[in-house]
Amino acid sequence: MDTGDRSVSRTVLTYQAGRLSSCRRELAEEVSWTLTVNGQAAGSFSCSPWDTEETALGYLYLNGFIGQADEVFCLRVDSEQGAIEAQLKPQCAPAGCSPRTISLKAAQVLELAAGLEASSGLYHRTGGVHSAALAREEQLLIYREDVSRHGALEKVAGACLKEGIPTQGAALVFSGRVAGEIVRMAAVMGCAAIIARSAPTDLACRLAEEKGITLIGFAREDGFNIYTCPERISL
């Protein structure tokens, strides 16, 4: 598996202290893909150019095309054309799972947030990627980075499908702003909690409350905010 953590460099002009100077800066790579399912156009997305099959699997799962990995009969990636072709078995995907009840200690929330930050090597070099992980207790089970917030989550979902890691009742640890679409994707995975280093939107909070998901934001250093379903968090 290509684990990523790659970047390209570019000469840029930097302004500082009243002067312009030339220097090299690292940039996160990004590629665009078009997706067809059983010969029909199924959408397009951009992501980092690694773990592409996982991203495609996650996209198919989170958008309701499949319910598990073995429903994909064949997956072809054409890097030159920027095209991904998926052939699915003739069966219907089940609906998303309901979150199971979990319990997290405050110290575990901070441990997971710190673990995500420590793992984000490409972000610290480029500032151009998002991070996502599936976790239970203090352990990050699957970690992925991508230039797209959706891409990072799709990579996590795809990796869990490929490796047979159950997502129901787990926590999603996330580096970016939590919009409503992120909550929707977490709900499809059956996640019981979202722990983010940034802020949620009002729609995200309303959806999380509706889906019974504990939504935590600004999880940094020694504190965090609990926006929904606080009963899962204990001191």
Side-chain angles (χ1 to χ4, degrees):
M1 180 186 68
D2 184 351
T3 56
D5 197 19
R6 300 200 311 265
S7 60
V8 297
S9 63
R10 181 184 180 90
T11 300
V12 302
L13 288 176
T14 297
Y15 175 81
Q16 192 170 24
R19 298 182 60 186
L20 283 174
S21 59
S22 176
C23 61
R24 301 290 291 181
R25 287 288 183 265
E26 290 191 74
L27 303 175
E29 294 183 76
E30 180 181 16
V31 294
S32 296
W33 299 96
T34 58
L35 176 69
T36 59
V37 175
N38 293 340
Q40 300 295 316
S44 60
F45 57 89
S46 297
C47 67
S48 299
W50 55 78
D51 299 329
T52 304
E53 290 190 7
E54 289 181 357
T55 309
L57 277 177
Y59 182 95
L60 291 168
Y61 173 60
L62 294 172
N63 287 280
F65 290 98
I66 62 172
Q68 52 192 20
D70 63 9
E71 293 177 25
V72 180
F73 175 72
C74 181
L75 190 65
R76 295 189 182 92
V77 177
D78 186 338
S79 299
E80 290 187 3
Q81 298 296 323
I84 300 173
E85 179 185 351
Q87 294 291 330
L88 307 186
K89 295 178 181 177
Q91 60 189 64
C92 297
C97 305
S98 299
R100 297 178 184 172
T101 299
I102 62 169
S103 178
L104 286 169
K105 295 179 181 179
Q108 290 175 320
V109 172
L110 295 175
E111 191 82 26
L112 292 173
L116 189 80
E117 174 72 9
S119 300
S120 304
L122 185 57
Y123 169 79
H124 291 299
R125 297 205 317 270
T126 67
V129 295
H130 293 278
S131 307
L134 189 86
R136 295 188 187 277
E137 299 179 344
E138 298 101 338
Q139 186 177 7
L140 301 181
L141 302 177
I142 292 289
Y143 170 86
R144 294 292 185 270
E145 291 179 323
D146 196 88
V147 292
S148 161
R149 286 181 301 152
H150 291 185
L153 187 47
E154 286 160 0
K155 279 182 166 64
V156 167
C160 289
L161 285 177
K162 284 180 67 175
E163 299 181 26
I165 297 175
T167 57
Q168 294 85 356
L172 172 66
V173 192
F174 196 60
S175 64
R177 175 179 59 87
V178 181
E181 184 67 6
I182 298 299
V183 175
R184 183 196 69 78
M185 295 165 83
V188 171
M189 295 171 66
C191 293
I194 300 172
I195 301 169
R197 290 183 55 80
S198 193
T201 66
D202 170 64
L203 176 60
C205 291
R206 286 187 277 120
L207 285 176
E209 201 161 47
E210 177 186 313
K211 301 292 186 182
I213 296 174
T214 299
L215 179 53
I216 294 173
F218 291 106
R220 306 174 184 179
E221 287 78 46
D222 59 354
F224 51 84
N225 297 333
I226 309 173
Y227 294 88
T228 61
C229 303
E231 63 275 6
R232 289 198 181 97
I233 309 301
S234 65
L235 298 180

